Amino acid sequence: MNEKIISVLERADNDDLKTLCDIITLGKNGTPRISDSLTKTESYKRNYPHRMATLIPGMVRELGLYGGNSVVNFFKGEGADYSTILRKVAKRLKVNFRDSQSDEVIEGYMLQKLFDDMSDRLSDEELRTMAREFGVKPLSYSRQVIIAALQVAIRRGGIYGLTWSMNVANVVARQAIGRGIATFASGTVLSRSLSVLTGPIGWALTAAWTAYDIAGPAYRVIVPAVIQIAYIRQNSGLLALPMYSEIEDLDDEGDDE
C-alpha cells in the first residue's frame, strides 16, 4: 500500500531523507522519541546518516505507526498507509479536498492553505515584494489580485512552487527538530528566490504555522513529516526535468554580465 510513496522517497537526496527521518524519530532536543523503534535497529545504526535511502522502508513503516488510529495499533505494529495519514493531516490543517483526489493534489492544497493563512498576516507592500520575486506582474493591482496571482504561481509548481514548499518545510522542520532543511547552493535561481521569504514574510509564515493546533505526540510527528514529504515530491520532480539545468545555466550567464 505504500509502494508509491516509497518510490517518491527513493528519488530524494540524502539530506532531505535525513531530515524526514529525524522528524519521525527524534524530538526537538535531538533524542529519540519514547515510542521510537527505528533508531534501535541495526540497519539504522549502520546507515544513518550517510546512506538514508536504505532506511526508507523503515521510515515509512514508523510513520505509519504514528498515523494509526490508537496506541493499541502502535504496539501491535499495525499502521496506516501514507494516503490515510496525508488525509488525516489535511483535515487537521482544515484543508478543503476530496478523498478521491490524488496524494499529490492534496499535498498541493495543503501547501496552498499555508500560503493563504500566511498572506493574511502580510502588508500590501510585503505581498508586492513576494510577487516581484515570484515574477508575478503587474504589481499595481489590488491586494486581492496580488494574492490570487501568487496562489496561481504556487499552484502551478515549478521553481516558485518549489521555493514555497521548501520554505514551508524549512519552517516546520525548525519547529519539529530545531533545525531547517538543506537548501540549494548559493547562486542558483532557487536560492536567490528564497531570500524574499526571510524577514517579515518569513516571520508571517512561522506565525501561520505555529497558529495550528497540532497538540499530541502523533500529530507532532505526522504533520511535519507529511509537509517534508510534500516538499520532497516537488523537489525530486522538478530536478528530474532537463529544464532545471537550463534555468541554472541562464542564471550563471546573468552573473557574467
Side-chain angles (χ1 to χ4, degrees), residues 59-129:
M59 284 189 273
V60 172
R61 177 184 177 277
E62 191 91 349
L63 179 62
L65 295 177
Y66 282 106
N69 291 325
S70 68
V71 175
V72 174
N73 285 349
F74 191 97
F75 289 104
K76 282 183 176 180
E78 299 174 359
D81 62 24
Y82 176 72
S83 293
T84 300
I85 295 171
L86 170 62
R87 284 154 177 78
K88 181 180 289 189
V89 167
K91 290 176 182 176
R92 185 75 173 199
L93 300 184
K94 297 180 172 59
V95 178
N96 291 321
F97 68 95
R98 296 191 303 275
D99 279 335
S100 60
Q101 290 174 311
S102 70
D103 291 352
E104 185 172 5
V105 167
I106 296 173
E107 288 171 356
Y109 288 163
M110 178 180 66
L111 294 169
Q112 291 167 36
K113 177 66 162 56
L114 279 163
F115 169 76
D116 293 344
D117 291 346
M118 182 206 69
S119 65
D120 291 340
R121 301 169 183 267
L122 295 178
S123 69
D124 291 356
E125 184 55 37
E126 287 163 350
L127 282 168
R128 289 190 183 95
T129 299

Side-chain angles (χ1 to χ4, degrees), residues 159 162-163 166 183-195 239 244-245 247-252 255:
I159 196 164
L162 177 56
T163 299
M166 174 180 282
T183 57
F184 284 84
S186 176
T188 65
V189 170
L190 183 54
S191 66
R192 290 181 182 181
S193 58
L194 288 172
S195 64
L239 296 187
Y244 181 76
S245 60
I247 290 172
E248 286 195 302
D249 291 342
L250 288 173
D251 191 50
D252 292 338
D255 291 341

